[in-house]
Amino acid sequence: MTATVTSPPPQRDELKPPRYRTIAGAGRGTWIQYAVLGVVALLVLAPVVPTLYQSFLDRPLYEAGGVFTLDTYVRLFTEANFGQVALNTVLFAGLTTVLAQLIAVPMAVLVVRTRLPLGRLAAGGMQWPFFISSLILGFGWITMYGPAGFVSVWVRDLVGTVPWNLYSIPGMAITEAVALAPIAFVFCSNALRQSDASLESAAQVCGAGPLRILRSVVLPMLRPPIVYSSVLIASMSIETLSVPLLYGQPVGIDVFSTFLYTNGLQAIDPDYGVLGAASVIILLVTVLLVWVQVKLLRNAQRFVSVRGKATRPRQFDLGRLRWAGIAFVAIYLVVGALIPIGGLIFRSFTQVFTPLQSPFDTLSMANYERIFTYPAYIQSIWNSILIALIGAVLVSLLAMFAVVVARRSPFRFGRLVEYLSLAPQAMPGIIVGIGYFWALAYAPASIGGLIQGTIWALVIAFGLRALPGAFGSIAPVVMQLGQELDNAARVSGADWFKTFTRVLGRLLTPALAGSMILVFVTMIKEYSPAVFLAGAESNVIGTTALELWVQGNTGSVAALATLQIAITAVFVGIANRLLKGRSHA
């Protein structure tokens, strides 16, 4: 006989569920989840609510005795010439989107799906314009291709005329398209790398050549990334201030962003009601674009080509046409980006930059000496770095909490947290600046007075703009982590917060680091909210460069732009080296 061993009956304490730390009867996880919702909601609604409120008032919202009225919207379309502004904006955004796709889609197909010499170098070069703001690229284009630009004068002497006009809607659009084309390129190239080659093999069996396969099979599968990137590019074109301000304002071409700038910041007696009404219209347009994007991609599953037995995408040999492909890539990289940026950097080391005189005869460090002589200019550089560093940490941490609350918690308002975190992608930067300006002006002096005009106002505004990108960079990683990790921690007695800090938090460290890099790059090149929020001691590189440009100090502008490029390149290089080999975590 075998003896039967019986375990002692469980003690009373062992039958109790784990005791979690509670506050006022609620678990600490619940309080943290509500805190995340409150912070995100406050950040998003703070600029939106005052803007909506101001649009229906007959006077500034911080003045007593305001009366609700619709007259502000009537005056917007009858007295403010807003109809022409809207038409210019549609033409500019539409042409920018078309040109960006005409650059990015063929480039992605050439680099990813054809045997293009130096294809890897071209792919890396296509992504670098993302690290450079449209403001800096606009300065570079004016320096080289403007009416008195180096290339323009050389072409005029050679053929007798300049065949382009930079100070026009097409000129604005091509510059902005060069800056935004990398966005569409990344979306399309990622889709091409993941597509299934079986469809192309079937077309080849039927006798189709490389060009026919690319036109009939490969390009139709790019509709989802083209639609998504087109809406994103159109939204960014509507909100951009730099290129329309540099190109359009001198010749009287106003778009949404410059309308708000000139009627809000430059006006002697701003009409805040009209300004608020215009802001609401622009906000509604960008929200509508995001809604259209969601509707168009609702049936995106019919374009899925990556299955369980997918094969590696093949590369086509274009024969002699590959040289035309190389020329196309070179024109974009050299003419669109390298020459303007190179010219801007070279301009920073010269006293005079004109083809009428050899620039090597005027080499000088005077522009940099001027930058480092005036404390205000040095302060703007340090402000940009400090804002970007603080924002990279705070925004990335907030995004990580928001992702975990939205995707890996039982919080009843988790989906609302996600919607609010992504909402700022439909909020133009200049409207964020105006909205926070009104919010701080209307807030109690004990709060608004401490933040108004300081770098903390810029950290908040810039951080709101960077939040959707941070959320989007962390969310896919969370979705790849199996739920069994959470379940194992909960079975071991951990509550939601402990599961997050001990398990998910450590696994998300590489994603958090990647988010910090993205947020830093986004915030150091941001400037449009600072137009309304920056004070004398809180200017950033972008606002200082605009002031110097208006004063005609193009050499100092070039020096500031070069310093910003150098700071971004050094930070990205160091960050990539530190993270190299750690992605397996």
Side-chain angles (χ1 to χ4, degrees):
M1 295 181 61
T2 58
T4 302
V5 180
T6 59
S7 59
Q11 300 297 320
R12 184 176 183 85
D13 290 342
E14 295 177 5
L15 297 175
K16 294 181 179 180
R19 298 182 62 184
Y20 303 141
R21 185 177 302 173
T22 61
I23 304 175
R28 59 180 178 179
T30 302
W31 283 102
I32 293 172
Q33 292 156 11
Y34 273 106
V36 172
L37 173 61
V39 171
V40 175
L42 181 63
L43 287 175
V44 174
L45 297 179
V48 174
V49 173
T51 301
L52 291 172
Y53 185 49
Q54 177 65 79
S55 69
F56 294 103
L57 288 181
D58 63 344
R59 66 194 67 191
L61 56 80
Y62 48 81
E63 290 185 5
V67 178
F68 282 91
T69 178
L70 292 175
D71 184 59
T72 53
Y73 288 90
V74 175
R75 286 186 286 113
L76 176 66
F77 288 97
T78 57
E79 300 176 10
N81 197 31
F82 194 71
Q84 185 63 46
V85 171
L87 178 61
N88 292 340
T89 305
V90 170
L91 293 176
F92 169 59
L95 189 57
T96 298
T97 303
V98 172
L99 291 175
Q101 295 293 354
L102 290 177
I103 295 171
V105 176
M107 196 86 69
V109 174
L110 286 170
V111 170
V112 178
R113 302 310 300 273
T114 68
R115 296 172 185 170
L116 190 71
L118 303 177
R120 183 173 298 179
L121 178 63
M126 272 296 299
Q127 297 180 23
W128 262 101
F130 168 77
F131 298 106
I132 301 170
S133 68
S134 298
L135 180 65
I136 292 179
L137 192 64
F139 288 144
W141 271 66
I142 292 176
T143 300
M144 302 304 294
Y145 306 127
F150 198 92
V151 174
S152 298
V153 174
W154 179 77
V155 171
R156 185 184 298 115
D157 293 340
L158 186 65
V159 300
T161 184
V162 179
W164 60 79
N165 179 17
L166 208 58
Y167 294 154
S168 62
I169 290 181
M172 293 160 51
I174 186 62
T175 306
E176 193 69 23
V178 169
L180 299 180
I183 296 175
F185 173 83
V186 170
F187 282 111
C188 293
S189 59
N190 288 340
L192 288 171
R193 290 189 180 98
Q194 297 174 3
S195 62
D196 188 0
S198 59
L199 299 176
E200 301 159 18
S201 301
Q204 187 178 23
V205 170
C206 295
L211 293 180
R212 178 70 180 275
I213 294 174
L214 290 174
R215 184 178 68 253
S216 303
V217 179
V218 176
L219 289 179
M221 302 305 297
L222 291 177
R223 290 180 191 176
I226 289 175
V227 169
Y228 187 89
S229 60
S230 293
V231 174
L232 188 58
I233 290 172
S235 301
M236 297 178 71
S237 302
I238 290 173
E239 68 157 350
T240 187
L241 175 65
S242 54
V243 172
L245 186 64
L246 296 176
Y247 295 9
Q249 194 175 43
V251 294
I253 300 176
D254 277 330
V255 295
F256 282 167
S257 57
T258 54
F259 178 87
L260 296 178
Y261 178 81
T262 55
N263 288 275
L265 192 66
Q266 293 187 329
I268 298 176
D269 185 19
D271 189 334
Y272 287 104
V274 170
L275 202 61
S279 300
V280 171
I281 297 297
I282 300 170
L283 190 61
L284 290 176
V285 169
T286 51
V287 170
L288 178 62
L289 284 174
V290 175
W291 178 81
V292 169
Q293 168 189 299
V294 173
K295 289 294 183 181
L296 290 176
L297 294 181
R298 174 169 292 179
N299 297 322
Q301 285 297 322
R302 62 195 180 98
F303 296 101
V304 170
S305 64
V306 180
R307 302 296 183 185
K309 296 183 179 180
T311 57
R312 172 178 289 186
R314 56 173 301 190
Q315 290 186 323
F316 299 99
D317 188 357
L318 296 179
R320 295 182 179 180
L321 288 178
R322 68 180 183 276
W323 301 112
I326 294 174
F328 177 74
V329 174
I331 289 174
Y332 169 78
L333 293 178
V334 176
V335 177
L338 186 59
I339 289 179
I341 298 303
L344 188 67
I345 295 174
F346 197 83
R347 173 67 183 92
S348 69
F349 291 99
T350 61
Q351 293 180 342
V352 180
F353 193 64
T354 172
L356 302 178
Q357 182 180 2
S358 173
F360 293 99
D361 296 336
T362 61
L363 292 177
S364 172
M365 295 295 293
N367 295 318
Y368 290 94
E369 292 175 359
R370 187 180 300 111
I371 293 296
F372 290 107
T373 298
Y374 289 94
Y377 300 161
I378 301 175
Q379 186 66 43
S380 68
I381 298 174
W382 283 114
N383 286 342
S384 293
I385 297 174
L386 188 60
I387 290 169
L389 288 174
I390 295 174
V393 176
L394 296 182
V395 173
S396 297
L397 288 174
L398 177 60
M400 184 172 66
F401 272 95
V403 170
V404 175
V405 169
R407 300 288 179 87
R408 301 298 282 270
S409 79
F411 189 46
R412 58 186 299 187
F413 300 114
R415 186 56 60 90
L416 179 59
V417 172
E418 180 173 356
Y419 287 155
L420 289 173
S421 300
L422 297 176
Q425 68 182 344
M427 299 170 61
I430 195 167
I431 292 180
V432 171
I434 294 174
Y436 273 122
F437 172 79
W438 282 328
L440 294 174
Y442 191 69
S446 58
I447 299 177
L450 293 177
I451 301 177
Q452 185 98 33
T454 67
I455 64 170
W456 292 107
L458 302 185
V459 169
I460 295 172
F462 290 8
L464 177 65
R465 297 269 294 149
L467 180 59
F471 188 97
S473 66
I474 296 175
V477 180
V478 173
M479 295 173 64
Q480 292 175 349
L481 299 177
Q483 290 280 355
E484 60 270 15
L485 298 174
D486 306 49
N487 298 334
R490 301 300 288 270
V491 169
S492 301
D495 63 352
W496 177 84
F497 180 73
K498 196 169 185 179
T499 301
F500 168 62
T501 55
R502 297 291 181 88
V503 181
L504 296 180
R506 296 184 179 183
L507 294 174
L508 290 176
T509 300
L512 180 66
S515 173
M516 288 181 181
I517 298 175
L518 176 63
V519 173
F520 180 91
V521 172
T522 301
M523 293 184 69
I524 199 169
K525 67 180 185 178
E526 182 65 81
Y527 71 95
S528 51
V531 171
F532 287 89
L533 294 174
E537 301 294 329
S538 58
N539 274 310
V540 293
I541 293 176
T543 54
T544 301
L546 279 177
E547 293 176 2
L548 290 172
W549 184 268
V550 172
Q551 298 169 7
N553 296 327
T554 57
S556 299
V557 171
L560 267 179
T562 302
L563 290 172
Q564 182 176 337
I565 295 172
I567 292 169
T568 304
V570 169
F571 177 84
V572 173
I574 293 176
N576 285 336
R577 181 170 292 274
L578 292 176
L579 293 177
K580 187 176 182 180
R582 298 185 183 181
S583 59
H584 66 277

